[in-house]
Amino acid sequence: MERDPRVCVMGEDVGHYGGSYKVTKGLATKFGDLRVLDTPIAENSFTGMGIGAAMTGLRPVVEGMNMGFLLLAFNQISNNCGMLHYTSGGQFTIPIVIRGPGGVGRQLGAEHSQRLESYFQSVPGIQMVACSTPYNAKGLMKAALRSENPVILFEHVLLYNLKERIPDEDYICNLEEAEMVRPGEHVTILTYSRMRYHVMQAAKTLVNKGYDPEVIDIRSLKPFDLYTIGNSVKKTHRVLIVEECMRTGGIGASLTAAITENFHDYLDAPIICLSSQDVPTPYAGRLEEWTVVQPAQIVTAVEQLCQ
C-alpha cells in the first residue's frame, strides 16, 4: 500500500478492528478509513463495489471474513470479476484480489468450514492460489496485487499462527508456479495449504520405513504448474494427491484429469487422491477429524502405491 496508492482494502471489520484474524491490523491507522474500508455485512455489495473500483483503475483487496461468506457474492465473482475483461472486449481489466480464511478449522461447524476452491475453479478468467507458509503468503499476495488479472488467494484458518523468518528485501512468488518442498524418487505427493503439513508429517514416517517421497506444494490451483508436476511424474511414475477439498468435483479431481491427459504413459500405477469426505463438516471434534485426511492415511496410500 505504501508502494502503490491505488491499493485499497475493503471488508467486514478490516479497519480499526484489524480483521477477524488480524491480517489488516494497524492498516487503518496508517492509511486511513477510505483506503481500509469497513463495510456492512453485505458480501454481494462490497464485492461488487470492489470489482467496480478495479474497473476504474484501483487495485482493491476484498476480504471475506470467512471464505464461506463469499458464496453470497458468487454472482459478482463469476459473472463480473471473471468475465468483464472478455465481455467488454478488453476495455476493462479487473486487477482485484479476493482473499480470506477458509478450510476446516477447529470445530467451526459446517458453514464456517467451507473450501471454496472447488466452487470457483470452473469460473473463466480467474486465477486461484493457496498460501501455506508466511514466506509464500507474502510473496503470493504481492504478486496478486501486481497482477492485471483477478486473483483469489485462499488462506487457511489454522495457518495464521505460523512463524518464519522472511527476507527484508522485496520479493514475489510466481502465481503459476508450484513449490518443490521435498525432492524424492519413489512417489510424487501433490498437496497444498494446510495439507502440506500433514504430508510432511507423514513423510517423516515414510522415510523411516525406507520410502523417498517427493513433495510438491502446487500453490497455483488455477492454472496448474504442469511443468513442475510433469517432471516429477516422469521421475517417480507414481502420484498421490492430498487435499482438504471435497472429493467430488474438487481440485484433486481436476488435477487427476490433467495428469492422466498429459502424463498417462509415465504412470506405473493408478493415481490415488485423498480428499475430505463428501459430508458437511461436523462440529464434534473427533468427527471433524475423521472427515479430513490424516497423516496415517497418507502413509498407507504411499505403501499401497509402491507395492
Side-chain angles (χ1 to χ4, degrees):
M1 293 180 75
E2 289 178 338
R3 177 181 177 273
D4 190 342
R6 297 173 296 172
V7 176
C8 54
V9 181
M10 57 189 71
E12 297 152 0
D13 286 337
V14 298
H16 293 280
Y17 185 69
S20 57
Y21 289 88
K22 302 304 177 187
V23 173
T24 54
K25 183 179 179 180
L27 293 184
T29 303
K30 189 170 185 178
F31 295 104
D33 292 344
L34 282 179
R35 288 189 69 190
V36 187
L37 183 64
D38 275 323
T39 64
I41 302 173
E43 284 77 10
N44 57 344
S45 298
F46 67 74
T47 304
M49 179 173 66
I51 294 166
M55 292 171 68
T56 66
L58 297 180
R59 292 182 171 269
V61 179
V62 172
E63 175 180 308
M65 180 184 282
N66 181 282
M67 289 300 266
F69 302 161
L70 290 178
L71 288 174
L72 294 164
F74 194 89
N75 177 64
Q76 284 74 13
I77 295 171
S78 57
N79 282 329
N80 302 145
C81 184
M83 299 186 191
L84 269 170
H85 180 64
Y86 173 79
T87 56
S88 69
Q91 295 180 77
F92 297 109
T93 55
I94 317 294
I96 189 172
V97 179
I98 298 171
R99 53 153 295 273
V104 178
R106 289 197 174 91
Q107 296 184 265
L108 297 180
E111 294 179 0
H112 289 67
S113 302
Q114 293 275 31
R115 286 130 287 179
L116 295 193
E117 54 266 37
S118 60
Y119 290 67
F120 291 121
Q121 67 172 326
S122 61
V123 177
I126 287 177
Q127 284 188 270
M128 304 195 312
V129 290
C131 58
S132 54
T133 68
Y135 178 87
N136 67 39
K138 180 180 179 180
L140 291 171
M141 171 61 85
K142 282 180 169 287
L145 285 168
R146 299 174 192 182
S147 173
E148 295 301 319
N149 299 312
V151 178
I152 302 180
L153 174 61
F154 293 93
E155 302 163 10
H156 199 286
V157 290
L158 294 183
L159 299 185
Y160 284 121
N161 60 348
L162 292 177
K163 293 183 179 180
E164 179 184 11
R165 186 174 295 278
I166 58 177
D168 292 327
E169 63 271 13
D170 191 29
Y171 71 92
I172 61 171
C173 296
N174 192 321
L175 290 175
E176 300 179 13
E177 191 174 273
E179 176 188 351
M180 178 65 69
V181 181
R182 183 191 189 279
E185 298 289 336
H186 293 163
V187 58
T188 298
I189 305 181
L190 304 173
T191 189
Y192 65 93
S193 191
R194 176 198 176 199
M195 284 296 116
R196 168 176 175 153
Y197 298 93
H198 282 209
V199 168
M200 291 309 293
Q201 187 177 335
K204 295 177 182 177
T205 303
L206 289 167
V207 169
N208 290 335
K209 291 189 172 193
Y211 297 99
D212 186 18
E214 178 151 293
V215 179
I216 295 176
D217 183 342
I218 63 173
R219 291 199 311 203
S220 177
L221 307 184
K222 184 182 178 183
F224 296 131
D225 178 6
L226 291 179
Y227 177 78
T228 300
I229 293 168
N231 284 340
S232 181
V233 173
K234 292 173 185 178
K235 178 173 63 172
T236 67
H237 309 291
R238 292 173 174 82
V239 177
L240 171 64
I241 300 169
V242 182
E243 63 175 349
E244 196 178 85
C245 199
M246 297 298 188
R247 182 168 186 81
T248 301
I251 295 297
S254 297
L255 192 52
T256 299
I259 294 170
T260 302
E261 288 172 5
N262 291 279
F263 309 109
H264 179 266
D265 290 346
Y266 295 97
L267 293 171
D268 288 344
I271 299 169
I272 294 180
C273 182
L274 299 179
S275 313
S276 293
Q277 296 183 38
D278 286 335
V279 297
T281 304
Y283 173 75
R286 184 61 60 85
L287 292 176
E288 181 183 68
E289 285 182 15
W290 285 346
T291 67
V292 177
V293 180
Q294 299 298 328
Q297 295 170 268
I298 300 169
V299 173
T300 301
V302 170
E303 290 174 333
Q304 179 184 335
L305 268 174
C306 295
Q307 281 179 351

